[in-house]
Amino acid sequence: MNRFTNKTVLVTGGSSGIGLAAAVAFAAEGATVVITGRDVVTLGQAQATIGSKAVALHNDASDIADAKLLAESLIARGLRLDAVFINAGVAKLVPFAEVDEMLWNRGCAEFCVNGQSTAGASRPVRKHNEHQETRRTRRTAVWP
């Protein structure tokens, strides 16, 4: 099936792990996939893995200024987003017994980064789509 033919999907953190797997799956369903990440080399490898339907953009989802640049890049490329898979985030995974005060505080900071990346990615995307279309009702695509 090609449920995403003629659709464009943004996958933040799409250069590795779950984000890359989602990007590959969206592309397999026919989507043009825009992936973002902080590491240029990993982004290039991910783009090659996804194939010709991939657009790789260097972007730090934890940086609000970068989120604005992402929206500008999408507009400059004439891309209209049909779906967004907000995946970028950071985590330090250790057994609970190893969590000390310093690691706990780091986890709180990471939570803020992850929340900011969601807000940072979604706000410019909304503005981007408003730039492309005015007041159009849209369906949300949910990956099964």
Side-chain angles (χ1 to χ4, degrees):
M1 242 195 310
N2 284 321
R3 297 179 288 173
F4 289 91
T5 299
N6 298 321
K7 303 292 183 191
T8 302
V9 179
L10 169 65
V11 180
T12 66
S15 59
S16 64
I18 293 169
L20 177 57
V24 167
F26 280 120
E29 288 283 348
T32 297
V33 182
V34 180
I35 58 169
T36 66
R38 295 180 294 180
D39 185 290
V40 177
V41 173
T42 307
L43 269 172
Q45 293 168 341
Q47 186 175 23
T49 298
I50 298 164
S52 63
K53 294 198 148 283
V55 176
L57 300 175
H58 179 258
N59 188 266
D60 182 351
S62 70
D63 183 342
I64 294 294
D66 255 17
K68 291 175 184 173
L69 291 174
L70 173 59
E72 291 170 8
S73 293
L74 295 171
I75 291 167
R77 287 174 170 76
L79 295 172
R80 182 184 143 292
L81 299 179
D82 298 290
V84 180
F85 189 92
I86 298 175
N87 172 71
V90 294
K92 170 81 171 159
L93 305 175
V94 298
F96 187 72
E98 294 179 24
V99 176
D100 58 13
E101 185 176 350
M102 190 169 86
L103 191 58
W104 179 265
N105 290 337
R106 180 179 171 183
C108 291
E110 288 172 351
F111 179 77
C112 289
V113 167
N114 293 337
Q116 181 174 318
S117 72
T118 300
S122 60
R123 187 178 319 121
V125 166
R126 187 184 72 240
K127 295 267 186 213
H128 165 66
N129 280 345
E130 288 171 359
H131 174 80
Q132 297 290 41
E133 304 174 357
T134 309
R135 304 256 187 219
R136 180 173 174 224
T137 304
R138 307 187 38 140
R139 294 186 312 169
T140 302
V142 178
W143 196 259

